[in-house]
Amino acid sequence: QVQLQESGPGLVKPSGTLSLTCGVSGDSISSSNWWSWVRQPPGKGLEWIGEVNHSGSTTYNPSLKSRVTMLVDKSKNQFSLILRSVTAADTAVYYCARARGYIYDWSQGTLVTVSS
Amino acid sequence: QSALTQPASVSGSPGQSITISCTGTSSDVGAYNYVSWYQQQPGKAPKVIIHDVTNRPSGISHRFSGSKSGNTASLTISGLQAEDEADYYCSSYTRSTTLVFGGGTRLTVL
C-alpha cells in the first residue's frame, strides 16, 4: 500500500514561491508511474497541475506551465512542486498523487494559503 | 485546456439510480478510453471509483458503472445509498498528454 505525504509551508506571501515535497513510501519513485500534483481551491473543484516521471520528464497544465517546475529526488524517494509568482488565486489544498493514465493514489492534501 | 462539463448537482432517493454526465471534446473524452471518475467525501482526498471508462478498482461497489459515447462519458450509480452522498469528478487524458478534470457534481441522497 503506497503512502504519499506532502511537506512544506502552509503560508506563502504574494509574489513569492510555493514549494512542496511529496515523500513516497511503498513504491519506488523509479517505478513506471507518473507522480502528479493536483490542487483544489476552498469550495471549488479539482485542478490538475502536472506530473513528473522517474527520469525527470514533465507535463504541465498549460495554464500554469510558465510558473511551475516539478522535480524528482531518487535518493530520497520523493518529488517536488515549485510554483512561482503566487497570488491569492493559488490558495488551495494541494494533493500529490501516483498516476498512470489516471490518478489511483492520493495524499491527504495540505492547505497552502497565499497571504501577506 | 477547458474543464470537462458536468452538472453542478444531481439528487436521488435511496434505492434509485442516477447518472452523471461528463462532456468534453474530440481532443479529450472522445480521443481515448482514458476517462476516470473520482468520489470525494467532505474533507477527504478524492478516491478513484472508475478508470479507463468502465473499470472498477478492487473494492469498489458494483453499483458504480461507467460508459462513454462520443465526447460524453457517464457515471451511473444504482441502488443509491446514503453513503454515496459526495462530490463526483470526471477526468480525461488529452491529446496534449495532459489530464483535465470536470467541474464536479454534488450528489444529494434525499
Side-chain angles (χ1 to χ4, degrees), chain A residues 38 40 44-48 51 59-63 95 100-109, chain B residues 1 34 36 38 40 44-48 51-52 57 89 91 93 96-103:
Chain A
V38 176
Q40 184 171 34
K44 296 188 178 180
L46 302 171
E47 180 179 33
W48 182 79
E51 60 187 7
T59 308
Y60 300 138
N61 186 323
S63 68
Y95 296 98
R100 200 171 179 183
Y102 65 97
I103 295 174
Y104 55 99
D105 285 302
W106 299 71
S107 66
Q108 63 183 17
Chain B
Q1 58 189 23
Y34 291 141
S36 52
Y38 303 87
Q40 186 178 34
K44 301 281 190 180
K47 176 178 74 172
V48 62
H51 66 89
D52 300 343
Y89 295 89
S91 78
Y93 193 68
S96 303
T97 69
T98 61
L99 199 69
V100 61
F101 284 100

Side-chain angles (χ1 to χ4, degrees), chain A residues 13-115:
Chain A
K13 287 183 166 42
S15 77
T17 298
L18 180 159
S19 296
L20 293 174
T21 297
C22 183
V24 180
S25 58
D27 190 13
S28 169
I29 204 82
S30 298
S31 68
S32 56
N33 296 297
W34 284 77
W35 306 96
S36 306
W37 292 94
V38 176
R39 69 182 183 178
Q40 184 171 34
K44 296 188 178 180
L46 302 171
E47 180 179 33
W48 182 79
I49 301 171
E51 60 187 7
V52 60
N53 73 359
H54 63 91
S55 65
S57 295
T58 55
T59 308
Y60 300 138
N61 186 323
S63 68
L64 298 169
K65 188 173 183 177
S66 63
R67 299 194 291 132
V68 170
T69 301
M70 293 182 185
L71 303 167
V72 292
D73 185 337
K74 294 180 184 179
S75 66
K76 295 182 178 178
N77 212 45
Q78 63 187 30
F79 60 107
S80 59
L81 167 69
I82 300 169
L83 181 64
R84 297 173 292 276
S85 304
V86 298
T87 69
D90 295 309
T91 294
V93 173
Y94 284 77
Y95 296 98
C96 57
R98 183 171 69 154
R100 200 171 179 183
Y102 65 97
I103 295 174
Y104 55 99
D105 285 302
W106 299 71
S107 66
Q108 63 183 17
T110 187
L111 175 63
V112 178
T113 301
V114 178
S115 174

